[in-house]
Amino acid sequence: MDKGKNKWAVLVGCNYPNTKYTLHGCINDVQAMRDLLVKKFGFDPKNINLLTDKPGSFILPTGANIMKALNRMVDQAQSGDVLYFHYSGHGTLVDKPFLPFSKEEAIVPIDFNLITNVDFRHLVNKLPKGVTFTVLSDSCHSGGLIDKEKEQIGPSNNHLHGDSSISCSKPKAIPYESVLTHLSSLSNINTTDIGTHLLEVFGADASLRFRLPHVELEFYKALKQDEGILLSGCQADETSADVISEKGEAFGAFSNAVQQVFKEHSGPLTNTEVVSMARKILANQQFEQHPCLYCSDENAAATFLSQSATAASSSN
């Protein structure tokens, strides 16, 4: 581990087994990332919290459990620490309060207790000075998941093509209407307001987006340049792919591309370089998704997860 830095990670993989929303590669994504964090980035395995819905898992990736793990990681951080959250699973879009036809991004834990961009903004706002928090979301509609973060690499219409070894892929998204229908069946309340259902079913464990009055949510906006770093698997209006290769290997296209980037490059890479290289890999594999980067100018040029040249050489 780099001197003077503690590195902490929460890794969440949701395959949603035995449901109509089943995915196949999400658990593989975070298990592979855990190995990469230890071998290449100097993370202590004891500082990595892995939450999956693999059969027999002791702690499942429910909304409350994910937020508890994230809050614990942020609350224990000290200046110089490096925090990382990797999510592989479904995403969705929810209606924006008081703004018709506007949508906001959310991830979908296995119990459908949505975690929204407001929750991630709140976590970033709580960071102690000198702590970075990197979020990699391999899900659909993941652009903008940290509310108000500056776009560094964003929407693109440049579709490159190349050889593809992909035999089957599935979008990692659950439509808003499907989320609403599922929550309605749990709450037994007849309303199209998703917040009403979430509050009825999950109470104090529901997202801040739905628990706080609109006027109070303004306090959770970004007030200044911060240390939040978001690598999104696709643009807000795109889908990220869950893939089964011709060899029968299951993985998220973006997670796999990032891991491939670090297999091909042993030295430290900036956040901008990681996203740009992952974009090229996905384009060559004929995926119609464009990973994005949202963070400050300084963090765009900073090394991904503060990897040092020493740590990189020792991992080879």
Side-chain angles (χ1 to χ4, degrees):
M1 181 179 297
D2 296 348
K3 291 183 178 179
K5 287 189 177 74
N6 284 315
K7 296 188 174 184
W8 310 89
V10 174
L11 313 179
V12 174
C14 300
N15 276 352
Y16 314 89
N18 304 315
T19 73
K20 61 182 179 180
Y21 308 110
T22 299
L23 298 173
H24 300 283
C26 301
I27 295 174
N28 294 339
D29 289 341
V30 293
Q31 289 176 333
M33 183 54 68
R34 178 178 57 185
D35 293 341
L36 188 65
L37 293 179
V38 172
K39 295 175 181 177
K40 184 173 283 289
F41 294 98
F43 281 67
D44 186 329
K46 292 183 295 185
N47 293 343
I48 299 175
N49 192 350
L50 184 68
L51 299 176
T52 75
D53 53 3
K54 183 178 181 179
S57 292
F58 181 66
I59 301 178
L60 292 170
T62 63
N65 286 340
I66 294 171
M67 285 306 302
K68 186 182 298 182
L70 289 173
N71 276 300
R72 186 186 306 120
M73 181 171 69
V74 169
D75 291 342
Q76 73 185 0
Q78 300 178 3
S79 182
D81 284 1
V82 175
L83 311 185
Y84 181 61
F85 174 56
H86 190 118
Y87 173 75
S88 184
H90 281 303
T92 194
L93 292 172
V94 297
D95 289 334
K96 201 168 187 175
F98 308 107
L99 290 174
F101 311 112
S102 294
K103 302 286 186 180
E104 292 184 316
E105 297 80 9
I107 61 174
V108 186
I110 61 167
D111 61 348
F112 280 59
N113 185 9
L114 304 181
I115 299 175
T116 70
N117 55 355
V118 175
D119 299 305
F120 287 105
R121 166 49 53 201
H122 179 48
L123 288 167
V124 170
N125 285 356
K126 289 202 304 177
L127 291 175
K129 186 176 177 60
V131 175
T132 59
F133 183 22
T134 300
V135 174
L136 189 154
S137 187
D138 190 352
S139 59
C140 296
H141 314 303
S142 46
L145 199 56
I146 301 179
D147 194 31
K148 304 301 182 184
E149 208 65 67
K150 181 178 179 181
E151 179 184 291
Q152 299 289 344
I153 301 176
S156 168
N157 294 315
N158 297 322
H159 292 208
L160 304 177
H161 298 284
D163 295 331
S164 175
S165 60
I166 306 306
S167 60
C168 178
S169 67
K170 181 178 182 179
K172 300 168 81 169
I174 300 178
Y176 173 81
E177 293 75 15
S178 297
V179 174
L180 185 60
T181 298
H182 178 78
L183 291 172
S184 298
S185 70
L186 298 178
S187 70
N188 293 316
I189 296 175
N190 184 20
T191 178
T192 58
D193 177 46
I194 200 167
T196 298
H197 298 295
L198 287 163
L199 290 170
E200 175 67 20
V201 177
F202 300 109
D205 288 329
S207 168
L208 285 170
R209 158 58 65 206
F210 310 107
R211 286 192 284 123
L212 294 179
H214 179 67
V215 75
E216 287 189 34
L217 289 173
E218 294 303 313
F219 291 105
Y220 289 89
K221 301 299 184 184
L223 301 177
K224 59 186 185 319
Q225 183 169 286
D226 57 54
E227 298 298 336
I229 304 165
L230 171 65
L231 290 78
S232 66
C234 61
Q235 297 165 193
D237 61 344
E238 291 182 332
T239 57
S240 292
D242 181 65
V243 177
I244 300 177
S245 72
E246 292 178 349
K247 297 179 181 179
E249 299 166 329
F251 51 82
F254 181 47
S255 294
N256 184 68
V258 170
Q259 289 155 17
Q260 188 173 328
V261 165
F262 286 106
K263 287 178 183 177
E264 297 174 355
H265 300 84
S266 59
L269 298 172
T270 67
N271 288 303
T272 296
E273 289 171 332
V274 172
V275 174
S276 297
M277 291 175 181
R279 272 194 171 206
K280 290 180 181 178
I281 290 171
L282 290 169
N284 288 334
Q285 294 173 336
Q286 297 184 315
F287 286 107
E288 300 289 331
Q289 67 185 80
H290 300 83
C292 300
L293 174 65
Y294 302 87
C295 61
S296 67
D297 295 340
E298 183 179 352
N299 280 329
T303 304
F304 181 72
L305 297 182
S306 299
Q307 182 190 18
S308 68
T310 302
S313 61
S314 65
S315 67
N316 296 331

